[in-house]
Amino acid sequence: MKKCIIIGSGADVVGRRMGTAIDAGRFGRVVRVNKPYGAAIDVGGRMDVLVTRWQSWVQRYFPGPTIGCEMVFLNEHIGFSQEEHRAACEEVGWGNVSAGTLAAIWALNRGAVQVFALGFGYHPDRGWPAEKRYPDRTLDTNPHYNWAAENRWLENNVTLL
């Protein structure tokens, strides 16, 4: 895999209108994380890889066809080993790492030369927000993640869109 785009759950996907470019392959393979977020006009509909926490989420959140889509289940260490998970936490510098950042690490560990990231909260005109929000503006209050540490790792390792 030469390049890929990781599509996360951040509010920054709203209004980006990148769906056509994503679906056309401009960013390489399309990796979606956890659950579907954002409108098709903003994030497209193509999915080459699904990186999610649990196998049970596939039918729950992706009832449409996922045939031919590679699947990685982080918490069950399917497609992403426990050793990779531990190493990712050490690299980021925190005991827990979000699925989006783990997806970027997964891609880099499998030889991606360039990883693009959309839906991680970053916006090229505004930078990082003070709080992590989902596209419906719901605030993520999960205390287990260190967003500042993950943002630093992302800035140094992927191309933020």
Side-chain angles (χ1 to χ4, degrees):
M1 151 176 40
K2 289 192 177 215
K3 62 182 182 174
C4 69
I5 183 168
I6 312 286
I7 301 174
S9 59
D12 61 291
V13 299
V14 176
R16 298 300 289 278
R17 297 191 172 279
M18 295 176 69
T20 301
I22 290 168
D23 287 345
R26 177 173 165 212
F27 301 100
R29 290 181 78 195
V30 178
V31 180
R32 299 204 181 254
V33 180
N34 272 342
K35 304 172 190 175
Y37 288 97
I41 194 167
D42 294 324
V43 296
R46 182 174 150 200
M47 179 170 63
D48 301 312
V49 181
L50 171 59
V51 175
T52 190
R53 293 277 181 193
W54 309 101
Q55 291 181 62
S56 62
W57 285 11
V58 175
Q59 289 302 314
R60 184 174 176 189
Y61 297 114
F62 292 90
T66 54
I67 296 170
C69 175
E70 184 176 353
M71 294 190 205
V72 176
F73 304 108
L74 299 167
N75 291 5
E76 296 166 299
H77 299 111
I78 299 171
F80 190 77
S81 72
Q82 192 168 6
E83 293 76 26
E84 280 182 287
H85 205 142
R86 270 188 236 134
C89 291
E90 287 179 28
E91 190 172 330
V92 170
W94 195 254
N96 294 299
V97 177
S98 71
T101 299
L102 290 175
I105 291 169
W106 172 88
L108 291 167
N109 285 352
R110 278 141 190 88
V113 175
Q114 186 169 24
V115 175
F116 298 94
L118 176 67
F120 284 66
Y122 180 84
H123 194 282
D125 296 333
R126 297 184 292 275
W128 295 103
E131 305 169 314
K132 182 180 187 279
R133 293 192 178 268
Y134 294 96
D136 67 359
R137 304 301 301 152
T138 301
L139 178 64
D140 184 331
T141 58
N142 190 330
H144 297 292
Y145 301 113
N146 182 330
W147 300 120
E150 289 195 37
N151 294 349
R152 280 190 300 275
W153 185 90
L154 290 163
E155 287 172 354
N156 290 314
N157 293 281
V158 304
T159 302
L160 296 160
L161 300 175

PDB file of all heavy atoms in Angstrom, residues 8-12 34 37 98 100 119-121 128-135 137-142 145 147 150-151:
ATOM      1  N   GLY A   8     -11.636   9.389  10.170  1.00  0.00           N
ATOM      2  CA  GLY A   8     -12.022   9.252  11.563  1.00  0.00           C
ATOM      3  C   GLY A   8     -13.382   9.844  11.858  1.00  0.00           C
ATOM      4  O   GLY A   8     -14.206  10.053  10.960  1.00  0.00           O
ATOM      5  N   SER A   9     -13.591  10.160  13.129  1.00  0.00           N
ATOM      6  CA  SER A   9     -14.913  10.534  13.621  1.00  0.00           C
ATOM      7  C   SER A   9     -15.055  11.991  14.024  1.00  0.00           C
ATOM      8  O   SER A   9     -16.034  12.377  14.633  1.00  0.00           O
ATOM      9  CB  SER A   9     -15.246   9.666  14.829  1.00  0.00           C
ATOM     10  OG  SER A   9     -14.275   9.852  15.843  1.00  0.00           O
ATOM     11  N   GLY A  10     -14.076  12.829  13.702  1.00  0.00           N
ATOM     12  CA  GLY A  10     -14.103  14.214  14.148  1.00  0.00           C
ATOM     13  C   GLY A  10     -15.082  15.100  13.404  1.00  0.00           C
ATOM     14  O   GLY A  10     -15.426  14.864  12.241  1.00  0.00           O
ATOM     15  N   ALA A  11     -15.496  16.149  14.078  1.00  0.00           N
ATOM     16  CA  ALA A  11     -16.434  17.111  13.503  1.00  0.00           C
ATOM     17  C   ALA A  11     -15.864  17.808  12.274  1.00  0.00           C
ATOM     18  O   ALA A  11     -16.613  18.359  11.469  1.00  0.00           O
ATOM     19  CB  ALA A  11     -16.820  18.149  14.555  1.00  0.00           C
ATOM     20  N   ASP A  12     -14.550  17.759  12.095  1.00  0.00           N
ATOM     21  CA  ASP A  12     -13.932  18.441  10.961  1.00  0.00           C
ATOM     22  C   ASP A  12     -14.290  17.827   9.611  1.00  0.00           C
ATOM     23  O   ASP A  12     -13.981  18.412   8.584  1.00  0.00           O
ATOM     24  CB  ASP A  12     -12.407  18.471  11.120  1.00  0.00           C
ATOM     25  CG  ASP A  12     -11.802  17.089  11.174  1.00  0.00           C
ATOM     26  OD1 ASP A  12     -12.029  16.379  12.181  1.00  0.00           O
ATOM     27  OD2 ASP A  12     -11.102  16.711  10.227  1.00  0.00           O
ATOM     28  N   ASN A  34     -13.953   2.748  13.144  1.00  0.00           N
ATOM     29  CA  ASN A  34     -15.015   2.526  14.130  1.00  0.00           C
ATOM     30  C   ASN A  34     -16.434   2.501  13.587  1.00  0.00           C
ATOM     31  O   ASN A  34     -17.071   1.482  13.592  1.00  0.00           O
ATOM     32  CB  ASN A  34     -14.930   3.507  15.289  1.00  0.00           C
ATOM     33  CG  ASN A  34     -14.026   3.003  16.378  1.00  0.00           C
ATOM     34  OD1 ASN A  34     -13.711   1.827  16.448  1.00  0.00           O
ATOM     35  ND2 ASN A  34     -13.599   3.889  17.246  1.00  0.00           N
ATOM     36  N   TYR A  37     -19.062   7.976   9.766  1.00  0.00           N
ATOM     37  CA  TYR A  37     -19.286   9.365  10.168  1.00  0.00           C
ATOM     38  C   TYR A  37     -19.242  10.246   8.930  1.00  0.00           C
ATOM     39  O   TYR A  37     -18.474  10.004   8.012  1.00  0.00           O
ATOM     40  CB  TYR A  37     -18.195   9.845  11.134  1.00  0.00           C
ATOM     41  CG  TYR A  37     -18.288   9.241  12.502  1.00  0.00           C
ATOM     42  CD1 TYR A  37     -17.522   8.134  12.842  1.00  0.00           C
ATOM     43  CD2 TYR A  37     -19.144   9.767  13.457  1.00  0.00           C
ATOM     44  CE1 TYR A  37     -17.604   7.577  14.109  1.00  0.00           C
ATOM     45  CE2 TYR A  37     -19.222   9.219  14.730  1.00  0.00           C
ATOM     46  CZ  TYR A  37     -18.454   8.128  15.043  1.00  0.00           C
ATOM     47  OH  TYR A  37     -18.534   7.575  16.289  1.00  0.00           O
ATOM     48  N   SER A  98      -6.381   6.117  20.707  1.00  0.00           N
ATOM     49  CA  SER A  98      -7.660   6.040  20.008  1.00  0.00           C
ATOM     50  C   SER A  98      -7.570   5.159  18.770  1.00  0.00           C
ATOM     51  O   SER A  98      -6.487   4.935  18.211  1.00  0.00           O
ATOM     52  CB  SER A  98      -8.128   7.441  19.607  1.00  0.00           C
ATOM     53  OG  SER A  98      -7.317   7.937  18.563  1.00  0.00           O
ATOM     54  N   GLY A 100      -8.491   5.816  15.780  1.00  0.00           N
ATOM     55  CA  GLY A 100      -8.014   6.554  14.617  1.00  0.00           C
ATOM     56  C   GLY A 100      -6.500   6.579  14.527  1.00  0.00           C
ATOM     57  O   GLY A 100      -5.909   6.306  13.478  1.00  0.00           O
ATOM     58  N   GLY A 119     -10.898  13.796   9.695  1.00  0.00           N
ATOM     59  CA  GLY A 119     -11.820  13.404  10.748  1.00  0.00           C
ATOM     60  C   GLY A 119     -11.119  13.130  12.069  1.00  0.00           C
ATOM     61  O   GLY A 119     -11.604  12.385  12.901  1.00  0.00           O
ATOM     62  N   PHE A 120      -9.987  13.781  12.269  1.00  0.00           N
ATOM     63  CA  PHE A 120      -9.245  13.638  13.518  1.00  0.00           C
ATOM     64  C   PHE A 120      -9.359  14.912  14.354  1.00  0.00           C
ATOM     65  O   PHE A 120      -8.676  15.058  15.357  1.00  0.00           O
ATOM     66  CB  PHE A 120      -7.778  13.325  13.226  1.00  0.00           C
ATOM     67  CG  PHE A 120      -7.550  11.896  12.808  1.00  0.00           C
ATOM     68  CD1 PHE A 120      -8.049  11.407  11.613  1.00  0.00           C
ATOM     69  CD2 PHE A 120      -6.843  11.033  13.638  1.00  0.00           C
ATOM     70  CE1 PHE A 120      -7.848  10.093  11.231  1.00  0.00           C
ATOM     71  CE2 PHE A 120      -6.636   9.716  13.262  1.00  0.00           C
ATOM     72  CZ  PHE A 120      -7.143   9.248  12.066  1.00  0.00           C
ATOM     73  N   GLY A 121     -10.186  15.835  13.915  1.00  0.00           N
ATOM     74  CA  GLY A 121     -10.382  17.092  14.631  1.00  0.00           C
ATOM     75  C   GLY A 121      -9.644  18.263  14.017  1.00  0.00           C
ATOM     76  O   GLY A 121     -10.038  19.406  14.169  1.00  0.00           O
ATOM     77  N   TRP A 128      -6.069  22.554  15.573  1.00  0.00           N
ATOM     78  CA  TRP A 128      -6.743  21.615  16.460  1.00  0.00           C
ATOM     79  C   TRP A 128      -7.786  22.341  17.297  1.00  0.00           C
ATOM     80  O   TRP A 128      -7.518  23.427  17.795  1.00  0.00           O
ATOM     81  CB  TRP A 128      -5.750  20.940  17.401  1.00  0.00           C
ATOM     82  CG  TRP A 128      -4.759  20.080  16.705  1.00  0.00           C
ATOM     83  CD1 TRP A 128      -3.455  20.381  16.444  1.00  0.00           C
ATOM     84  CD2 TRP A 128      -4.982  18.780  16.160  1.00  0.00           C
ATOM     85  NE1 TRP A 128      -2.853  19.346  15.778  1.00  0.00           N
ATOM     86  CE2 TRP A 128      -3.769  18.337  15.590  1.00  0.00           C
ATOM     87  CE3 TRP A 128      -6.079  17.924  16.100  1.00  0.00           C
ATOM     88  CZ2 TRP A 128      -3.624  17.107  14.974  1.00  0.00           C
ATOM     89  CZ3 TRP A 128      -5.946  16.690  15.489  1.00  0.00           C
ATOM     90  CH2 TRP A 128      -4.731  16.287  14.934  1.00  0.00           C
ATOM     91  N   PRO A 129      -8.942  21.752  17.506  1.00  0.00           N
ATOM     92  CA  PRO A 129      -9.953  22.383  18.371  1.00  0.00           C
ATOM     93  C   PRO A 129      -9.590  22.189  19.839  1.00  0.00           C
ATOM     94  O   PRO A 129      -8.776  21.329  20.192  1.00  0.00           O
ATOM     95  CB  PRO A 129     -11.235  21.605  18.025  1.00  0.00           C
ATOM     96  CG  PRO A 129     -10.739  20.238  17.664  1.00  0.00           C
ATOM     97  CD  PRO A 129      -9.413  20.473  16.962  1.00  0.00           C
ATOM     98  N   ALA A 130     -10.203  22.959  20.698  1.00  0.00           N
ATOM     99  CA  ALA A 130      -9.964  22.830  22.137  1.00  0.00           C
ATOM    100  C   ALA A 130     -10.559  21.528  22.675  1.00  0.00           C
ATOM    101  O   ALA A 130     -10.060  20.970  23.644  1.00  0.00           O
ATOM    102  CB  ALA A 130     -10.570  24.018  22.871  1.00  0.00           C
ATOM    103  N   GLU A 131     -11.628  21.039  22.026  1.00  0.00           N
ATOM    104  CA  GLU A 131     -12.310  19.829  22.481  1.00  0.00           C
ATOM    105  C   GLU A 131     -12.564  18.909  21.287  1.00  0.00           C
ATOM    106  O   GLU A 131     -12.746  19.381  20.169  1.00  0.00           O
ATOM    107  CB  GLU A 131     -13.670  20.175  23.086  1.00  0.00           C
ATOM    108  CG  GLU A 131     -13.610  21.181  24.197  1.00  0.00           C
ATOM    109  CD  GLU A 131     -14.983  21.693  24.573  1.00  0.00           C
ATOM    110  OE1 GLU A 131     -15.765  22.033  23.666  1.00  0.00           O
ATOM    111  OE2 GLU A 131     -15.264  21.736  25.780  1.00  0.00           O
ATOM    112  N   LYS A 132     -12.578  17.598  21.548  1.00  0.00           N
ATOM    113  CA  LYS A 132     -12.887  16.645  20.485  1.00  0.00           C
ATOM    114  C   LYS A 132     -14.404  16.496  20.387  1.00  0.00           C
ATOM    115  O   LYS A 132     -15.071  16.189  21.372  1.00  0.00           O
ATOM    116  CB  LYS A 132     -12.264  15.284  20.753  1.00  0.00           C
ATOM    117  CG  LYS A 132     -12.571  14.316  19.605  1.00  0.00           C
ATOM    118  CD  LYS A 132     -11.976  12.954  19.841  1.00  0.00           C
ATOM    119  CE  LYS A 132     -12.125  12.071  18.647  1.00  0.00           C
ATOM    120  NZ  LYS A 132     -13.372  11.430  18.463  1.00  0.00           N
ATOM    121  N   ARG A 133     -14.918  16.739  19.190  1.00  0.00           N
ATOM    122  CA  ARG A 133     -16.356  16.608  18.946  1.00  0.00           C
ATOM    123  C   ARG A 133     -16.590  15.732  17.727  1.00  0.00           C
ATOM    124  O   ARG A 133     -15.768  15.665  16.827  1.00  0.00           O
ATOM    125  CB  ARG A 133     -16.998  17.973  18.730  1.00  0.00           C
ATOM    126  CG  ARG A 133     -16.975  18.828  19.978  1.00  0.00           C
ATOM    127  CD  ARG A 133     -17.871  20.048  19.851  1.00  0.00           C
ATOM    128  NE  ARG A 133     -17.857  20.823  21.079  1.00  0.00           N
ATOM    129  CZ  ARG A 133     -18.730  20.664  22.064  1.00  0.00           C
ATOM    130  NH1 ARG A 133     -19.689  19.781  21.967  1.00  0.00           N
ATOM    131  NH2 ARG A 133     -18.646  21.409  23.154  1.00  0.00           N
ATOM    132  N   TYR A 134     -17.756  15.093  17.719  1.00  0.00           N
ATOM    133  CA  TYR A 134     -18.194  14.278  16.597  1.00  0.00           C
ATOM    134  C   TYR A 134     -18.948  15.151  15.596  1.00  0.00           C
ATOM    135  O   TYR A 134     -19.300  16.292  15.916  1.00  0.00           O
ATOM    136  CB  TYR A 134     -19.067  13.122  17.106  1.00  0.00           C
ATOM    137  CG  TYR A 134     -18.279  12.157  17.951  1.00  0.00           C
ATOM    138  CD1 TYR A 134     -18.281  12.262  19.342  1.00  0.00           C
ATOM    139  CD2 TYR A 134     -17.504  11.168  17.365  1.00  0.00           C
ATOM    140  CE1 TYR A 134     -17.537  11.385  20.121  1.00  0.00           C
ATOM    141  CE2 TYR A 134     -16.755  10.288  18.133  1.00  0.00           C
ATOM    142  CZ  TYR A 134     -16.774  10.404  19.505  1.00  0.00           C
ATOM    143  OH  TYR A 134     -16.038   9.542  20.266  1.00  0.00           O
ATOM    144  N   PRO A 135     -19.216  14.647  14.379  1.00  0.00           N
ATOM    145  CA  PRO A 135     -19.909  15.480  13.380  1.00  0.00           C
ATOM    146  C   PRO A 135     -21.257  16.036  13.832  1.00  0.00           C
ATOM    147  O   PRO A 135     -21.665  17.081  13.362  1.00  0.00           O
ATOM    148  CB  PRO A 135     -20.069  14.523  12.190  1.00  0.00           C
ATOM    149  CG  PRO A 135     -18.877  13.631  12.298  1.00  0.00           C
ATOM    150  CD  PRO A 135     -18.725  13.407  13.789  1.00  0.00           C
ATOM    151  N   ARG A 137     -21.732  17.263  16.625  1.00  0.00           N
ATOM    152  CA  ARG A 137     -21.284  18.239  17.634  1.00  0.00           C
ATOM    153  C   ARG A 137     -21.263  17.672  19.049  1.00  0.00           C
ATOM    154  O   ARG A 137     -20.991  18.393  20.011  1.00  0.00           O
ATOM    155  CB  ARG A 137     -22.110  19.536  17.595  1.00  0.00           C
ATOM    156  CG  ARG A 137     -22.148  20.231  16.246  1.00  0.00           C
ATOM    157  CD  ARG A 137     -20.828  20.639  15.663  1.00  0.00           C
ATOM    158  NE  ARG A 137     -20.079  21.550  16.505  1.00  0.00           N
ATOM    159  CZ  ARG A 137     -18.755  21.653  16.520  1.00  0.00           C
ATOM    160  NH1 ARG A 137     -18.035  20.922  15.723  1.00  0.00           N
ATOM    161  NH2 ARG A 137     -18.143  22.486  17.316  1.00  0.00           N
ATOM    162  N   THR A 138     -21.544  16.380  19.231  1.00  0.00           N
ATOM    163  CA  THR A 138     -21.449  15.756  20.539  1.00  0.00           C
ATOM    164  C   THR A 138     -19.998  15.806  21.019  1.00  0.00           C
ATOM    165  O   THR A 138     -19.083  15.504  20.263  1.00  0.00           O
ATOM    166  CB  THR A 138     -21.914  14.278  20.479  1.00  0.00           C
ATOM    167  OG1 THR A 138     -23.258  14.236  20.026  1.00  0.00           O
ATOM    168  CG2 THR A 138     -21.804  13.602  21.837  1.00  0.00           C
ATOM    169  N   LEU A 139     -19.818  16.174  22.263  1.00  0.00           N
ATOM    170  CA  LEU A 139     -18.497  16.266  22.861  1.00  0.00           C
ATOM    171  C   LEU A 139     -18.019  14.880  23.287  1.00  0.00           C
ATOM    172  O   LEU A 139     -18.768  14.117  23.903  1.00  0.00           O
ATOM    173  CB  LEU A 139     -18.550  17.190  24.080  1.00  0.00           C
ATOM    174  CG  LEU A 139     -17.255  17.381  24.869  1.00  0.00           C
ATOM    175  CD1 LEU A 139     -16.203  18.067  24.020  1.00  0.00           C
ATOM    176  CD2 LEU A 139     -17.556  18.201  26.123  1.00  0.00           C
ATOM    177  N   ASP A 140     -16.774  14.538  22.978  1.00  0.00           N
ATOM    178  CA  ASP A 140     -16.170  13.296  23.439  1.00  0.00           C
ATOM    179  C   ASP A 140     -15.552  13.569  24.807  1.00  0.00           C
ATOM    180  O   ASP A 140     -14.580  14.309  24.919  1.00  0.00           O
ATOM    181  CB  ASP A 140     -15.091  12.818  22.452  1.00  0.00           C
ATOM    182  CG  ASP A 140     -14.504  11.476  22.830  1.00  0.00           C
ATOM    183  OD1 ASP A 140     -14.459  11.142  24.038  1.00  0.00           O
ATOM    184  OD2 ASP A 140     -14.066  10.745  21.932  1.00  0.00           O
ATOM    185  N   THR A 141     -16.117  12.965  25.827  1.00  0.00           N
ATOM    186  CA  THR A 141     -15.635  13.191  27.190  1.00  0.00           C
ATOM    187  C   THR A 141     -14.851  11.994  27.726  1.00  0.00           C
ATOM    188  O   THR A 141     -14.631  11.884  28.934  1.00  0.00           O
ATOM    189  CB  THR A 141     -16.816  13.493  28.140  1.00  0.00           C
ATOM    190  OG1 THR A 141     -17.731  12.387  28.086  1.00  0.00           O
ATOM    191  CG2 THR A 141     -17.514  14.783  27.738  1.00  0.00           C
ATOM    192  N   ASN A 142     -14.423  11.107  26.846  1.00  0.00           N
ATOM    193  CA  ASN A 142     -13.687   9.911  27.265  1.00  0.00           C
ATOM    194  C   ASN A 142     -12.357  10.339  27.904  1.00  0.00           C
ATOM    195  O   ASN A 142     -11.498  10.900  27.234  1.00  0.00           O
ATOM    196  CB  ASN A 142     -13.437   9.000  26.066  1.00  0.00           C
ATOM    197  CG  ASN A 142     -12.900   7.655  26.471  1.00  0.00           C
ATOM    198  OD1 ASN A 142     -12.212   7.527  27.473  1.00  0.00           O
ATOM    199  ND2 ASN A 142     -13.201   6.643  25.676  1.00  0.00           N
ATOM    200  N   TYR A 145      -8.100   8.926  26.868  1.00  0.00           N
ATOM    201  CA  TYR A 145      -7.187   9.300  25.790  1.00  0.00           C
ATOM    202  C   TYR A 145      -6.528  10.637  26.083  1.00  0.00           C
ATOM    203  O   TYR A 145      -7.109  11.517  26.694  1.00  0.00           O
ATOM    204  CB  TYR A 145      -7.927   9.360  24.449  1.00  0.00           C
ATOM    205  CG  TYR A 145      -8.554   8.039  24.104  1.00  0.00           C
ATOM    206  CD1 TYR A 145      -9.927   7.888  24.071  1.00  0.00           C
ATOM    207  CD2 TYR A 145      -7.768   6.924  23.837  1.00  0.00           C
ATOM    208  CE1 TYR A 145     -10.499   6.664  23.770  1.00  0.00           C
ATOM    209  CE2 TYR A 145      -8.328   5.696  23.537  1.00  0.00           C
ATOM    210  CZ  TYR A 145      -9.706   5.573  23.515  1.00  0.00           C
ATOM    211  OH  TYR A 145     -10.258   4.358  23.234  1.00  0.00           O
ATOM    212  N   TRP A 147      -5.525  13.469  24.028  1.00  0.00           N
ATOM    213  CA  TRP A 147      -5.651  14.013  22.671  1.00  0.00           C
ATOM    214  C   TRP A 147      -4.441  14.853  22.289  1.00  0.00           C
ATOM    215  O   TRP A 147      -4.018  14.838  21.144  1.00  0.00           O
ATOM    216  CB  TRP A 147      -6.956  14.802  22.528  1.00  0.00           C
ATOM    217  CG  TRP A 147      -8.176  13.966  22.787  1.00  0.00           C
ATOM    218  CD1 TRP A 147      -9.118  14.168  23.754  1.00  0.00           C
ATOM    219  CD2 TRP A 147      -8.576  12.781  22.090  1.00  0.00           C
ATOM    220  NE1 TRP A 147     -10.062  13.187  23.697  1.00  0.00           N
ATOM    221  CE2 TRP A 147      -9.764  12.313  22.688  1.00  0.00           C
ATOM    222  CE3 TRP A 147      -8.044  12.047  21.032  1.00  0.00           C
ATOM    223  CZ2 TRP A 147     -10.433  11.180  22.259  1.00  0.00           C
ATOM    224  CZ3 TRP A 147      -8.707  10.905  20.599  1.00  0.00           C
ATOM    225  CH2 TRP A 147      -9.881  10.479  21.206  1.00  0.00           C
ATOM    226  N   GLU A 150      -1.725  12.485  21.178  1.00  0.00           N
ATOM    227  CA  GLU A 150      -2.064  11.909  19.875  1.00  0.00           C
ATOM    228  C   GLU A 150      -1.927  12.951  18.770  1.00  0.00           C
ATOM    229  O   GLU A 150      -1.426  12.647  17.680  1.00  0.00           O
ATOM    230  CB  GLU A 150      -3.477  11.317  19.887  1.00  0.00           C
ATOM    231  CG  GLU A 150      -3.552  10.063  20.719  1.00  0.00           C
ATOM    232  CD  GLU A 150      -4.805   9.256  20.489  1.00  0.00           C
ATOM    233  OE1 GLU A 150      -5.277   9.192  19.327  1.00  0.00           O
ATOM    234  OE2 GLU A 150      -5.315   8.670  21.456  1.00  0.00           O
ATOM    235  N   ASN A 151      -2.350  14.170  19.027  1.00  0.00           N
ATOM    236  CA  ASN A 151      -2.226  15.229  18.021  1.00  0.00           C
ATOM    237  C   ASN A 151      -0.763  15.463  17.653  1.00  0.00           C
ATOM    238  O   ASN A 151      -0.433  15.634  16.472  1.00  0.00           O
ATOM    239  CB  ASN A 151      -2.863  16.528  18.514  1.00  0.00           C
ATOM    240  CG  ASN A 151      -4.362  16.421  18.671  1.00  0.00           C
ATOM    241  OD1 ASN A 151      -4.989  15.457  18.235  1.00  0.00           O
ATOM    242  ND2 ASN A 151      -4.961  17.399  19.315  1.00  0.00           N
TER     243      ASN A 151
END
